[in-house]
Amino acid sequence: LLFVACFALYHGWKLPMGTLRSMGPGMLPISLAVMVGAGGVILIVFSIIGKTGEHMTRWSWRGMFFIVLSVAVFSFTVQRFGLIVAGPVSMMVAMLASPDIKWVEGIIFSVIMTAFCALLFKTALGLPIPVNNLW
């Protein structure tokens, strides 16, 4: 968190801050960077003084692999096949990140979420996202 805050501060420092009555383009990134940095400092302090709690376990490489793969699958399939295909396929790949996969619930969830995203992005917001490139 401190690295992200320093990165944002470094790149947002040259933007004019403005005032609270007339905010400039640098107000939001610098404010968020300060809040993220403060959160990072708080986490560091509590991790040093707090000796109770569970120790961290090893990372799940399987989880990270399939989540990154699902993002890649979505980015490669959305332009060619549209959101109707890319959404459920990428969610099915993301489901492989968990060791206890419930396929029926996952398929139902992915179909509902894809329909919601298609209605939201295409209909409500009018964004130029391809919904159906099959025909």
Side-chain angles (χ1 to χ4, degrees), residues 44-113:
I44 290 172
V45 169
F46 279 125
S47 70
I48 291 172
I49 63 172
K51 300 294 183 196
T52 60
E54 294 183 26
H55 293 287
M56 288 184 62
T57 58
R58 298 184 74 183
W59 289 7
S60 169
W61 290 104
R62 172 185 174 162
M64 286 192 285
F65 173 75
F66 282 112
I67 296 299
V68 170
L69 182 65
S70 72
V71 172
V73 165
F74 181 83
S75 67
F76 287 123
T77 57
V78 72
Q79 287 295 326
R80 180 161 174 97
F81 302 111
L83 186 64
I84 299 292
V85 173
V89 169
S90 65
M91 285 189 232
M92 294 299 127
V93 173
M95 283 177 55
L96 295 172
S98 174
D100 55 337
I101 300 171
K102 297 181 177 140
W103 287 105
V104 175
E105 291 91 346
I107 291 170
I108 292 169
F109 177 75
S110 65
V111 168
I112 291 171
M113 286 305 297

